Amino acid sequence: MSSWKQIAACTAGAIVIAACGGGGNGTPFIPPSNPPSSNPPPSDPPPASSKISLKVLSSKPEYVSGGDARIAVLAPQDDHAQIELWLNDTKIEPALASSADRLEGLVAGLAVGPNKLEVRHKVRGKLDTLTLTNHPITGPMFAGAKQEPFVCSVVSELGKEPLVDTADTKYFAVKDGAGGTVGYSRDCSIDSYVKYYYLPVGGTSHKNYLPMPADGSRPSNIAKTTLMDGREVDFIVRWERGTINRFIYQYVMLAPFGEDPTKPDLSLWNKRLVYVFQGGVGFGHYQGGPDTRVGAIEQIGKGYAAIHSTGTRTGEHYDMILGGETALMTKEGFIKRYGVPTYTVGLGGSGGGIQQYLYPQNHPGLLDAAIPQQAYPDMVGQIPHVGDCELLEYYMDVTDRANGKWTSSIKNRSWLVGMNGEETVANPFLGLQPYLPNVKMATGSTECRKAWMGLTAGAMNPTFDADGIMARGAARMNMAAFGPIAFSHYDDVRNTYGIAADGYARSNWDNVGVQYGLQSMKEGKISSAEFLDLNFKVGGWKRASEMVPEGFPFNGTGAAEQQKAATIAGYFDPWGARNMNQWNPAAPNVPAPRTHGDMEGIKATLRSGLIFTGQSDIPTIDWRPYLEHKLDMHNVHQSFAIRKRIRNKMGNSDHQVVWFTETRGAATPFDQSPMAFEVIDEWIAKIRANPSRSVADNRPERARDSCFDNAGTLMARGAEVWDGVLDAKPKGACTQAFPMYSTSRIVAGGPIEGGIFKCALKPLDTALADGTYGSWVPSPADIQKLQAIFPEGVCDYSKPGQGTP
């Protein structure tokens, strides 16, 4: 989940094609009662001689986009010459390929909205009818109103001006060759186009691709690659780019030298498709950059096709409803142009891993298998404990700075934040300590400080333009004409969360009843007095309408900003403390106010598809390089948070395999994903050969829980290697080898799987009687303080969170 976006521009010499791109205007939508699925399986039983039927291959009939759809007429071959297609009561003659049991091809000319497609027999008359509901290629289908402003990137990323689609001067100005404005673009669309690249001899990654010569000549240094079927071919790549749902898509696969791009030669495609999802942390309003890693030579060189969209990159936005819609449309576009794949496997890390859990849950059929890397169950479920990070770090750095526990060993901070801390990872702000008399920082860092600092502000503070959208849009847009723009995760996903009475998107962050440090107090790591002081003074976050701009280091860390931090009281504020509900020393007997989440927003979160509920049944290899010692934000317990949710929902997690690979001592982390592709391919082959058996029963031997050393060599494999994580058994071999940490909410008594936004509450009297506090017996004064801190009660994690459907 890097907050920075690494992008790669493409070279010149494009060939424009008419496929899946172009403009279009948004239309009102009706949210679906059930989440849409992707295309059905490619194989169908042969039709009976008396049964001829229609089928949409590129999408569900109700979710067609762009005015065309790949369809099949399932019919015995003897009837093919008698088949007619009628669209909206007009006979059409699309080019249909004939095979033993079907006719297949592209039906174009669909109007926006419902379209009636009929198959008729010249002798037997009308045989079947489908209603195809077509949506603009610019969306939306079901994700709701388009976000505004939306800054185009096709000029900076692809060197192409967007298509003019509006006369409204507040939108993105479209320029001609001389730099004059010729119109404006609301949707940032471009015509799709193809370029060809080749891997030169000696090339080792996607970074080494070179453009094919514009004169059509064949370079002498083209590398060879060996396909899965053993053929050795030129490593030449067809790279299609365009826009779908306002985002930039890419389709990549091998191509023979000299092919006609309007008639793609698919002889080198192995019929397997990789959907490359990507991570990062972004808050919308930007089209994004097309990453060249979609052309990874390990998969492309074996004949896989790969697809990607900036709309399924969480570095651009974290609206997983919009992301799911974009994924469906992006795959639909590929199928329309190139055909139905044998199977589709997901690939991607961090936010790209999250999508591989959420989208199979929300859109069955989009993926047939998944290789999530460094995944979380979902992003939204990270907000509760990430929002705690700054509250707890501020408490240790400032409020309780006289307590030597927080500086004597950085590991002690894990007693509150749950996440790891390392002295070897320096505190980046320690150099300013001499100028900060009211701050006492530690020399090392926790994962909160190293990895998550600033994410709370980005998620919650509408005044913090974390992605620099105002600057991105300044040159070509009238940003002021859009009025006040709220930059935050909640506003990015306002279509789901809804808008509160104050005009801001509803927030689901809540810490009412959360007993920070509870487990550490019960284990004797902190005293009962420290536990009480912490919870009395920790506070919460202000409402969005009350938040103010951030200080240092949110505006940069250069010399001028450091000078401000050293000389302006309160400007040094890496915690975002100015936006906290703080304890007031002038009223020492009044606890710092906690934050009440918006219940309507919480309910919307839990019913929306933003949360991974554990609904998953596709072959999944959850791979995680071990990075706890680096305080990497992809904390490894998340694989088991996911597993616990799957077990809670499905009863078992036999389709999910957890692999860890050691990185300590490795100059370069070993990439286990090529092995994962091999195992997934074997797994899918067994499923196709044995369809009556379960996904778990079809697992190949390597599709087992495993851990590997830093050279990728197997350390241990089997059902018991992760014992001791989700059960009370003695630690398995992998559990022993890879220490795991937790979160502030787990330390507060919450479950490993997380996903609780507003905990169920129980009266304090109940907590005092049911063993919540272990061996601690609070005095009357302690009880009075607890009552002041928790007037509504304390968290009862034995019950589902409030608002749970």
Side-chain angles (χ1 to χ4, degrees), residues 165-198:
D165 58 25
T166 181
D168 192 329
T169 59
K170 70 182 178 184
Y171 292 106
F172 194 89
V174 181
K175 305 290 186 179
D176 59 19
T181 298
V182 295
Y184 300 88
S185 181
R186 179 175 184 259
D187 291 322
C188 305
S189 298
I190 61 171
D191 288 323
S192 301
Y193 65 98
V194 165
K195 290 184 178 181
Y196 291 90
Y197 299 84
Y198 73 95

mmCIF file of all heavy atoms in Angstrom, residues 165-198:
data_model
loop_
_atom_site.group_PDB
_atom_site.id
_atom_site.type_symbol
_atom_site.label_atom_id
_atom_site.label_comp_id
_atom_site.label_asym_id
_atom_site.label_seq_id
_atom_site.Cartn_x
_atom_site.Cartn_y
_atom_site.Cartn_z
ATOM 1 N N ASP A 165 -16.055 16.331 -24.918
ATOM 2 C CA ASP A 165 -17.401 15.815 -24.656
ATOM 3 C C ASP A 165 -18.285 16.809 -23.919
ATOM 4 O O ASP A 165 -19.401 16.492 -23.530
ATOM 5 C CB ASP A 165 -17.334 14.493 -23.876
ATOM 6 C CG ASP A 165 -16.594 14.618 -22.549
ATOM 7 O OD1 ASP A 165 -16.537 15.720 -21.977
ATOM 8 O OD2 ASP A 165 -16.067 13.584 -22.065
ATOM 9 N N THR A 166 -17.809 18.039 -23.730
ATOM 10 C CA THR A 166 -18.611 19.056 -23.058
ATOM 11 C C THR A 166 -18.110 20.438 -23.454
ATOM 12 O O THR A 166 -16.946 20.613 -23.841
ATOM 13 C CB THR A 166 -18.544 18.893 -21.528
ATOM 14 O OG1 THR A 166 -19.357 19.896 -20.913
ATOM 15 C CG2 THR A 166 -17.120 19.052 -21.012
ATOM 16 N N ALA A 167 -18.999 21.418 -23.324
ATOM 17 C CA ALA A 167 -18.604 22.810 -23.540
ATOM 18 C C ALA A 167 -18.385 23.536 -22.226
ATOM 19 O O ALA A 167 -18.050 24.727 -22.217
ATOM 20 C CB ALA A 167 -19.676 23.529 -24.370
ATOM 21 N N ASP A 168 -18.555 22.839 -21.114
ATOM 22 C CA ASP A 168 -18.430 23.454 -19.789
ATOM 23 C C ASP A 168 -16.963 23.716 -19.491
ATOM 24 O O ASP A 168 -16.141 22.793 -19.416
ATOM 25 C CB ASP A 168 -19.029 22.529 -18.735
ATOM 26 C CG ASP A 168 -19.208 23.206 -17.393
ATOM 27 O OD1 ASP A 168 -18.414 24.104 -17.075
ATOM 28 O OD2 ASP A 168 -20.125 22.804 -16.650
ATOM 29 N N THR A 169 -16.604 24.977 -19.295
ATOM 30 C CA THR A 169 -15.204 25.381 -19.183
ATOM 31 C C THR A 169 -14.537 25.003 -17.860
ATOM 32 O O THR A 169 -13.341 25.210 -17.697
ATOM 33 C CB THR A 169 -15.082 26.901 -19.375
ATOM 34 O OG1 THR A 169 -15.881 27.562 -18.380
ATOM 35 C CG2 THR A 169 -15.563 27.318 -20.750
ATOM 36 N N LYS A 170 -15.279 24.434 -16.927
ATOM 37 C CA LYS A 170 -14.629 24.029 -15.682
ATOM 38 C C LYS A 170 -13.904 22.693 -15.836
ATOM 39 O O LYS A 170 -13.046 22.353 -15.023
ATOM 40 C CB LYS A 170 -15.633 23.948 -14.546
ATOM 41 C CG LYS A 170 -16.632 22.813 -14.618
ATOM 42 C CD LYS A 170 -17.617 22.882 -13.451
ATOM 43 C CE LYS A 170 -18.659 21.784 -13.523
ATOM 44 N NZ LYS A 170 -19.673 21.889 -12.444
ATOM 45 N N TYR A 171 -14.253 21.947 -16.896
ATOM 46 C CA TYR A 171 -13.647 20.630 -17.079
ATOM 47 C C TYR A 171 -12.300 20.746 -17.790
ATOM 48 O O TYR A 171 -11.824 21.832 -18.113
ATOM 49 C CB TYR A 171 -14.614 19.717 -17.825
ATOM 50 C CG TYR A 171 -15.831 19.365 -17.005
ATOM 51 C CD1 TYR A 171 -17.077 19.927 -17.266
ATOM 52 C CD2 TYR A 171 -15.728 18.496 -15.922
ATOM 53 C CE1 TYR A 171 -18.183 19.616 -16.490
ATOM 54 C CE2 TYR A 171 -16.827 18.180 -15.140
ATOM 55 C CZ TYR A 171 -18.043 18.741 -15.427
ATOM 56 O OH TYR A 171 -19.142 18.449 -14.645
ATOM 57 N N PHE A 172 -11.697 19.612 -18.055
ATOM 58 C CA PHE A 172 -10.329 19.533 -18.555
ATOM 59 C C PHE A 172 -10.236 20.123 -19.960
ATOM 60 O O PHE A 172 -10.937 19.669 -20.876
ATOM 61 C CB PHE A 172 -9.874 18.074 -18.557
ATOM 62 C CG PHE A 172 -8.403 17.868 -18.736
ATOM 63 C CD1 PHE A 172 -7.556 17.836 -17.639
ATOM 64 C CD2 PHE A 172 -7.856 17.699 -19.995
ATOM 65 C CE1 PHE A 172 -6.191 17.624 -17.787
ATOM 66 C CE2 PHE A 172 -6.496 17.486 -20.163
ATOM 67 C CZ PHE A 172 -5.663 17.452 -19.052
ATOM 68 N N ALA A 173 -9.386 21.111 -20.151
ATOM 69 C CA ALA A 173 -9.245 21.773 -21.443
ATOM 70 C C ALA A 173 -8.501 20.872 -22.419
ATOM 71 O O ALA A 173 -7.418 20.360 -22.116
ATOM 72 C CB ALA A 173 -8.491 23.092 -21.280
ATOM 73 N N VAL A 174 -9.080 20.678 -23.600
ATOM 74 C CA VAL A 174 -8.483 19.865 -24.656
ATOM 75 C C VAL A 174 -7.782 20.795 -25.633
ATOM 76 O O VAL A 174 -8.368 21.775 -26.106
ATOM 77 C CB VAL A 174 -9.557 19.028 -25.375
ATOM 78 C CG1 VAL A 174 -8.926 18.169 -26.454
ATOM 79 C CG2 VAL A 174 -10.323 18.166 -24.373
ATOM 80 N N LYS A 175 -6.518 20.500 -25.951
ATOM 81 C CA LYS A 175 -5.706 21.381 -26.780
ATOM 82 C C LYS A 175 -5.494 20.800 -28.174
ATOM 83 O O LYS A 175 -5.478 19.579 -28.366
ATOM 84 C CB LYS A 175 -4.334 21.592 -26.126
ATOM 85 C CG LYS A 175 -4.383 22.101 -24.692
ATOM 86 C CD LYS A 175 -4.851 23.540 -24.601
ATOM 87 C CE LYS A 175 -4.744 24.058 -23.168
ATOM 88 N NZ LYS A 175 -5.162 25.470 -23.053
ATOM 89 N N ASP A 176 -5.278 21.711 -29.148
ATOM 90 C CA ASP A 176 -4.864 21.266 -30.472
ATOM 91 C C ASP A 176 -3.344 21.291 -30.549
ATOM 92 O O ASP A 176 -2.653 21.570 -29.556
ATOM 93 C CB ASP A 176 -5.490 22.145 -31.563
ATOM 94 C CG ASP A 176 -5.109 23.617 -31.431
ATOM 95 O OD1 ASP A 176 -4.097 23.933 -30.750
ATOM 96 O OD2 ASP A 176 -5.826 24.461 -31.999
ATOM 97 N N GLY A 177 -2.805 20.991 -31.732
ATOM 98 C CA GLY A 177 -1.360 20.913 -31.883
ATOM 99 C C GLY A 177 -0.641 22.200 -31.587
ATOM 100 O O GLY A 177 0.545 22.199 -31.216
ATOM 101 N N ALA A 178 -1.329 23.319 -31.748
ATOM 102 C CA ALA A 178 -0.717 24.621 -31.501
ATOM 103 C C ALA A 178 -0.902 25.093 -30.066
ATOM 104 O O ALA A 178 -0.475 26.194 -29.714
ATOM 105 C CB ALA A 178 -1.303 25.646 -32.464
ATOM 106 N N GLY A 179 -1.569 24.305 -29.246
ATOM 107 C CA GLY A 179 -1.770 24.681 -27.851
ATOM 108 C C GLY A 179 -3.053 25.430 -27.587
ATOM 109 O O GLY A 179 -3.295 25.854 -26.453
ATOM 110 N N GLY A 180 -3.891 25.586 -28.602
ATOM 111 C CA GLY A 180 -5.157 26.264 -28.396
ATOM 112 C C GLY A 180 -6.213 25.326 -27.852
ATOM 113 O O GLY A 180 -6.217 24.131 -28.146
ATOM 114 N N THR A 181 -7.134 25.866 -27.067
ATOM 115 C CA THR A 181 -8.213 25.058 -26.495
ATOM 116 C C THR A 181 -9.297 24.832 -27.533
ATOM 117 O O THR A 181 -9.811 25.787 -28.127
ATOM 118 C CB THR A 181 -8.806 25.747 -25.256
ATOM 119 O OG1 THR A 181 -7.786 25.876 -24.253
ATOM 120 C CG2 THR A 181 -9.967 24.948 -24.690
ATOM 121 N N VAL A 182 -9.653 23.564 -27.758
ATOM 122 C CA VAL A 182 -10.662 23.235 -28.766
ATOM 123 C C VAL A 182 -11.950 22.710 -28.130
ATOM 124 O O VAL A 182 -12.918 22.437 -28.838
ATOM 125 C CB VAL A 182 -10.124 22.189 -29.759
ATOM 126 C CG1 VAL A 182 -8.967 22.759 -30.562
ATOM 127 C CG2 VAL A 182 -9.701 20.915 -29.036
ATOM 128 N N GLY A 183 -11.961 22.575 -26.823
ATOM 129 C CA GLY A 183 -13.130 22.078 -26.119
ATOM 130 C C GLY A 183 -12.720 21.548 -24.761
ATOM 131 O O GLY A 183 -11.597 21.784 -24.295
ATOM 132 N N TYR A 184 -13.625 20.802 -24.140
ATOM 133 C CA TYR A 184 -13.379 20.350 -22.767
ATOM 134 C C TYR A 184 -13.812 18.890 -22.621
ATOM 135 O O TYR A 184 -14.702 18.405 -23.334
ATOM 136 C CB TYR A 184 -14.126 21.244 -21.780
ATOM 137 C CG TYR A 184 -13.675 22.682 -21.889
ATOM 138 C CD1 TYR A 184 -14.291 23.552 -22.792
ATOM 139 C CD2 TYR A 184 -12.611 23.151 -21.141
ATOM 140 C CE1 TYR A 184 -13.857 24.863 -22.933
ATOM 141 C CE2 TYR A 184 -12.165 24.458 -21.269
ATOM 142 C CZ TYR A 184 -12.785 25.307 -22.167
ATOM 143 O OH TYR A 184 -12.343 26.588 -22.304
ATOM 144 N N SER A 185 -13.169 18.217 -21.690
ATOM 145 C CA SER A 185 -13.439 16.799 -21.483
ATOM 146 C C SER A 185 -13.840 16.551 -20.040
ATOM 147 O O SER A 185 -13.097 16.877 -19.111
ATOM 148 C CB SER A 185 -12.212 15.952 -21.825
ATOM 149 O OG SER A 185 -12.498 14.583 -21.639
ATOM 150 N N ARG A 186 -15.000 15.967 -19.865
ATOM 151 C CA ARG A 186 -15.486 15.594 -18.539
ATOM 152 C C ARG A 186 -15.056 14.182 -18.175
ATOM 153 O O ARG A 186 -14.760 13.875 -17.028
ATOM 154 C CB ARG A 186 -17.016 15.690 -18.525
ATOM 155 C CG ARG A 186 -17.678 15.311 -17.206
ATOM 156 C CD ARG A 186 -19.178 15.558 -17.284
ATOM 157 N NE ARG A 186 -19.831 15.285 -16.002
ATOM 158 C CZ ARG A 186 -20.495 14.169 -15.728
ATOM 159 N NH1 ARG A 186 -20.568 13.210 -16.637
ATOM 160 N NH2 ARG A 186 -21.076 13.999 -14.551
ATOM 161 N N ASP A 187 -15.002 13.300 -19.188
ATOM 162 C CA ASP A 187 -14.784 11.880 -18.930
ATOM 163 C C ASP A 187 -13.385 11.391 -19.281
ATOM 164 O O ASP A 187 -13.082 10.217 -19.073
ATOM 165 C CB ASP A 187 -15.812 11.051 -19.691
ATOM 166 C CG ASP A 187 -17.213 11.232 -19.119
ATOM 167 O OD1 ASP A 187 -17.339 11.337 -17.894
ATOM 168 O OD2 ASP A 187 -18.180 11.287 -19.902
ATOM 169 N N CYS A 188 -12.541 12.267 -19.849
ATOM 170 C CA CYS A 188 -11.126 11.930 -20.082
ATOM 171 C C CYS A 188 -10.945 10.754 -21.026
ATOM 172 O O CYS A 188 -9.961 10.002 -20.925
ATOM 173 C CB CYS A 188 -10.426 11.635 -18.759
ATOM 174 S SG CYS A 188 -10.551 12.953 -17.521
ATOM 175 N N SER A 189 -11.857 10.554 -21.953
ATOM 176 C CA SER A 189 -11.798 9.403 -22.845
ATOM 177 C C SER A 189 -10.816 9.620 -23.986
ATOM 178 O O SER A 189 -10.574 10.756 -24.425
ATOM 179 C CB SER A 189 -13.178 9.124 -23.437
ATOM 180 O OG SER A 189 -14.099 8.796 -22.426
ATOM 181 N N ILE A 190 -10.255 8.524 -24.472
ATOM 182 C CA ILE A 190 -9.460 8.540 -25.697
ATOM 183 C C ILE A 190 -9.901 7.364 -26.556
ATOM 184 O O ILE A 190 -10.536 6.423 -26.078
ATOM 185 C CB ILE A 190 -7.948 8.426 -25.420
ATOM 186 C CG1 ILE A 190 -7.628 7.104 -24.699
ATOM 187 C CG2 ILE A 190 -7.443 9.629 -24.647
ATOM 188 C CD1 ILE A 190 -6.143 6.801 -24.579
ATOM 189 N N ASP A 191 -9.568 7.404 -27.850
ATOM 190 C CA ASP A 191 -9.769 6.245 -28.708
ATOM 191 C C ASP A 191 -8.728 5.185 -28.348
ATOM 192 O O ASP A 191 -7.564 5.503 -28.071
ATOM 193 C CB ASP A 191 -9.599 6.635 -30.183
ATOM 194 C CG ASP A 191 -10.752 7.479 -30.691
ATOM 195 O OD1 ASP A 191 -11.900 7.216 -30.277
ATOM 196 O OD2 ASP A 191 -10.513 8.394 -31.497
ATOM 197 N N SER A 192 -9.151 3.939 -28.356
ATOM 198 C CA SER A 192 -8.227 2.856 -28.080
ATOM 199 C C SER A 192 -7.182 2.753 -29.186
ATOM 200 O O SER A 192 -7.436 3.100 -30.338
ATOM 201 C CB SER A 192 -8.988 1.540 -27.970
ATOM 202 O OG SER A 192 -9.951 1.617 -26.944
ATOM 203 N N TYR A 193 -5.993 2.263 -28.835
ATOM 204 C CA TYR A 193 -4.921 2.123 -29.820
ATOM 205 C C TYR A 193 -3.991 0.997 -29.410
ATOM 206 O O TYR A 193 -3.977 0.559 -28.254
ATOM 207 C CB TYR A 193 -4.146 3.430 -29.976
ATOM 208 C CG TYR A 193 -3.392 3.862 -28.733
ATOM 209 C CD1 TYR A 193 -2.034 3.600 -28.593
ATOM 210 C CD2 TYR A 193 -4.037 4.537 -27.691
ATOM 211 C CE1 TYR A 193 -1.335 3.992 -27.456
ATOM 212 C CE2 TYR A 193 -3.348 4.927 -26.557
ATOM 213 C CZ TYR A 193 -2.000 4.657 -26.446
ATOM 214 O OH TYR A 193 -1.315 5.045 -25.319
ATOM 215 N N VAL A 194 -3.217 0.517 -30.369
ATOM 216 C CA VAL A 194 -2.280 -0.578 -30.136
ATOM 217 C C VAL A 194 -0.866 -0.128 -30.473
ATOM 218 O O VAL A 194 -0.645 0.574 -31.466
ATOM 219 C CB VAL A 194 -2.646 -1.811 -30.997
ATOM 220 C CG1 VAL A 194 -1.503 -2.819 -31.055
ATOM 221 C CG2 VAL A 194 -3.891 -2.486 -30.443
ATOM 222 N N LYS A 195 0.082 -0.532 -29.642
ATOM 223 C CA LYS A 195 1.507 -0.399 -29.945
ATOM 224 C C LYS A 195 2.155 -1.763 -29.797
ATOM 225 O O LYS A 195 1.650 -2.633 -29.077
ATOM 226 C CB LYS A 195 2.176 0.593 -28.994
ATOM 227 C CG LYS A 195 1.771 2.045 -29.196
ATOM 228 C CD LYS A 195 2.569 2.946 -28.272
ATOM 229 C CE LYS A 195 2.224 4.408 -28.483
ATOM 230 N NZ LYS A 195 3.012 5.300 -27.591
ATOM 231 N N TYR A 196 3.279 -1.919 -30.474
ATOM 232 C CA TYR A 196 4.009 -3.180 -30.395
ATOM 233 C C TYR A 196 5.387 -2.935 -29.781
ATOM 234 O O TYR A 196 6.057 -1.935 -30.081
ATOM 235 C CB TYR A 196 4.156 -3.806 -31.782
ATOM 236 C CG TYR A 196 2.837 -4.284 -32.330
ATOM 237 C CD1 TYR A 196 2.023 -3.442 -33.087
ATOM 238 C CD2 TYR A 196 2.386 -5.575 -32.078
ATOM 239 C CE1 TYR A 196 0.806 -3.878 -33.580
ATOM 240 C CE2 TYR A 196 1.168 -6.023 -32.560
ATOM 241 C CZ TYR A 196 0.377 -5.167 -33.315
ATOM 242 O OH TYR A 196 -0.838 -5.597 -33.787
ATOM 243 N N TYR A 197 5.772 -3.854 -28.919
ATOM 244 C CA TYR A 197 7.067 -3.790 -28.266
ATOM 245 C C TYR A 197 7.744 -5.152 -28.412
ATOM 246 O O TYR A 197 7.101 -6.155 -28.732
ATOM 247 C CB TYR A 197 6.912 -3.470 -26.779
ATOM 248 C CG TYR A 197 6.242 -2.143 -26.492
ATOM 249 C CD1 TYR A 197 4.852 -2.034 -26.466
ATOM 250 C CD2 TYR A 197 6.986 -0.999 -26.250
ATOM 251 C CE1 TYR A 197 4.232 -0.823 -26.201
ATOM 252 C CE2 TYR A 197 6.374 0.220 -25.981
ATOM 253 C CZ TYR A 197 5.007 0.297 -25.964
ATOM 254 O OH TYR A 197 4.392 1.499 -25.697
ATOM 255 N N TYR A 198 9.028 -5.178 -28.146
ATOM 256 C CA TYR A 198 9.724 -6.457 -28.111
ATOM 257 C C TYR A 198 10.709 -6.463 -26.961
ATOM 258 O O TYR A 198 11.159 -5.410 -26.496
ATOM 259 C CB TYR A 198 10.425 -6.738 -29.437
ATOM 260 C CG TYR A 198 11.672 -5.906 -29.703
ATOM 261 C CD1 TYR A 198 12.951 -6.397 -29.398
ATOM 262 C CD2 TYR A 198 11.583 -4.637 -30.278
ATOM 263 C CE1 TYR A 198 14.086 -5.643 -29.657
ATOM 264 C CE2 TYR A 198 12.705 -3.877 -30.542
ATOM 265 C CZ TYR A 198 13.965 -4.378 -30.236
ATOM 266 O OH TYR A 198 15.093 -3.641 -30.480
#
